[in-house]
Amino acid sequence: MDIAICDDDKNILQYLKQKIEIVLEDNCQITTFENGYDLIEYINSDISNPDIIFIDIDLKDHLGIDIAKKIQQKFNNIKIIFITGNAYYVEDIFEVETLDYLTKPINEEKLKKALNKAMEVIKVNKEEILNIKIKKEVVSINLNDVNYMESHLRIVIIHCDKIKKTIYKKLNEIENILPEKFIRCHQSYIVNMEKVNILTTNKFILKSGDKVPVSQSKYKDTKEKFLNYLGDSI
């Protein structure tokens, strides 16, 4: 779990960091910020990919709500949990897609509930949504809509039910983050086994009518994985 905390109170930053590490049993990476400028710079960098952001509503340099809006405009997969010591701003949090909010002084039990809620939402989303970071943008793909993927050099074309999406990535990079229902059946193709109607000796025929080639070198392994998938899904 990758978490960012933004608060201009160093004591709050330290308290939250320690408590989150306890709740998540250190299975997390936490980065702290004392102002909104540094948080935005971090979010826009190629090294960051936070799942959750804890952010104070009333920062010295910005309103946390404005910071959260800017973040969600580009990265709507990030879950926002607001922190507030001022009831005046509570109604404003609904201007942003907010997962939860915590009031100061922060109650440890409420923090734990907010984290558990976040983890449940993220778990469900990660099962269905593939978020691919490309430079300073995140492309979100609903895996349930994907029929197959094909590559041409450094370009991957993702064939969905109604549209095609083209991204500048190597197929190997995407293959490594896909769930088991996706299978590499060819050097240039990955297929969603949920979408398959028939497997022949050299191709998949999908429910959409599309045909995806299966290479001779990968046929044996592809057939075995596909039969195992059918057995598990019955």
Side-chain angles (χ1 to χ4, degrees):
M1 191 72 66
D2 195 333
I3 297 172
I5 309 171
C6 184
D7 197 301
D8 47 32
D9 186 330
K10 291 183 179 180
N11 293 326
I12 293 292
L13 286 178
Q14 189 62 26
Y15 175 85
L16 272 175
K17 187 174 185 297
Q18 289 177 347
K19 294 301 180 183
I20 291 170
E21 286 173 342
I22 291 171
V23 172
L24 298 182
E25 298 178 343
D26 287 329
N27 293 317
C28 56
Q29 175 181 311
I30 302 175
T31 311
T32 61
F33 303 89
E34 293 182 35
N35 64 77
Y37 294 110
D38 289 344
L39 174 62
I40 288 179
E41 186 176 343
Y42 172 74
I43 297 297
N44 284 328
S45 72
D46 291 333
I47 61 171
S48 74
N49 191 22
D51 299 294
I52 307 169
I53 294 176
F54 289 83
I55 184 168
D56 188 5
I57 292 179
D58 190 16
L59 296 166
K60 289 177 183 176
D61 59 345
H62 270 101
L63 279 178
I65 291 168
D66 293 334
I67 299 293
K69 284 180 181 177
K70 289 180 180 180
I71 291 170
Q72 285 195 334
Q73 283 173 359
K74 282 189 175 182
F75 309 107
N76 58 12
N77 59 301
I78 298 176
K79 306 307 172 189
I80 305 291
I81 298 177
F82 283 113
I83 311 162
T84 179
N86 191 338
Y88 176 80
Y89 293 108
V90 170
E91 290 185 3
D92 296 334
I93 68 173
F94 298 106
E95 296 178 17
V96 180
E97 188 178 333
T98 311
L99 186 70
D100 211 334
Y101 74 95
L102 302 169
T103 55
K104 299 178 182 179
I106 295 171
N107 179 278
E108 188 173 345
E109 190 60 32
K110 288 184 178 179
L111 171 62
K112 185 176 181 179
K113 286 181 180 179
L115 278 170
N116 287 335
K117 180 179 179 181
M119 288 189 291
E120 285 299 316
V121 171
I122 290 167
K123 180 181 177 183
V124 171
N125 287 348
K126 282 187 174 179
E127 289 174 351
E128 299 175 352
I129 304 297
L130 177 67
N131 295 304
I132 302 173
K133 192 159 188 177
I134 304 172
K135 293 185 179 180
K136 295 183 179 181
E137 300 290 338
V138 171
V139 177
S140 295
I141 299 163
N142 189 331
L143 294 177
N144 293 325
D145 292 340
V146 176
N147 291 320
Y148 67 99
M149 305 178 185
E150 63 175 312
S151 69
H152 295 283
L153 299 176
R154 292 180 176 273
I155 296 174
V156 173
I157 303 169
I158 301 173
H159 296 260
C160 299
D161 287 335
K162 297 180 180 179
I163 61 171
K164 295 179 183 179
K165 294 185 179 181
T166 300
I167 58 176
Y168 292 90
K169 282 280 189 182
K170 292 181 179 179
L171 198 60
N172 288 345
E173 295 175 305
I174 298 177
E175 180 185 13
N176 291 334
I177 56 176
L178 288 172
E180 291 184 356
K181 67 180 181 180
F182 286 87
I183 184 170
R184 184 80 170 265
C185 58
H186 187 282
Q187 182 64 26
S188 302
Y189 290 87
I190 292 175
V191 71
N192 182 354
M193 290 188 283
E194 283 187 349
K195 305 291 187 174
V196 171
N197 191 22
I198 298 171
L199 170 63
T200 72
T201 55
N202 61 3
K203 64 180 175 292
F204 278 116
I205 301 174
L206 307 189
K207 296 173 184 177
S208 63
D210 291 321
K211 297 175 182 178
V212 178
V214 176
S215 66
Q216 185 176 355
S217 62
K218 290 185 179 291
Y219 174 72
K220 183 178 179 181
D221 184 57
T222 296
K223 180 180 178 181
E224 182 178 342
K225 288 181 178 178
F226 183 55
L227 290 175
N228 286 337
Y229 172 79
L230 290 178
D232 290 339
S233 61
I234 292 174

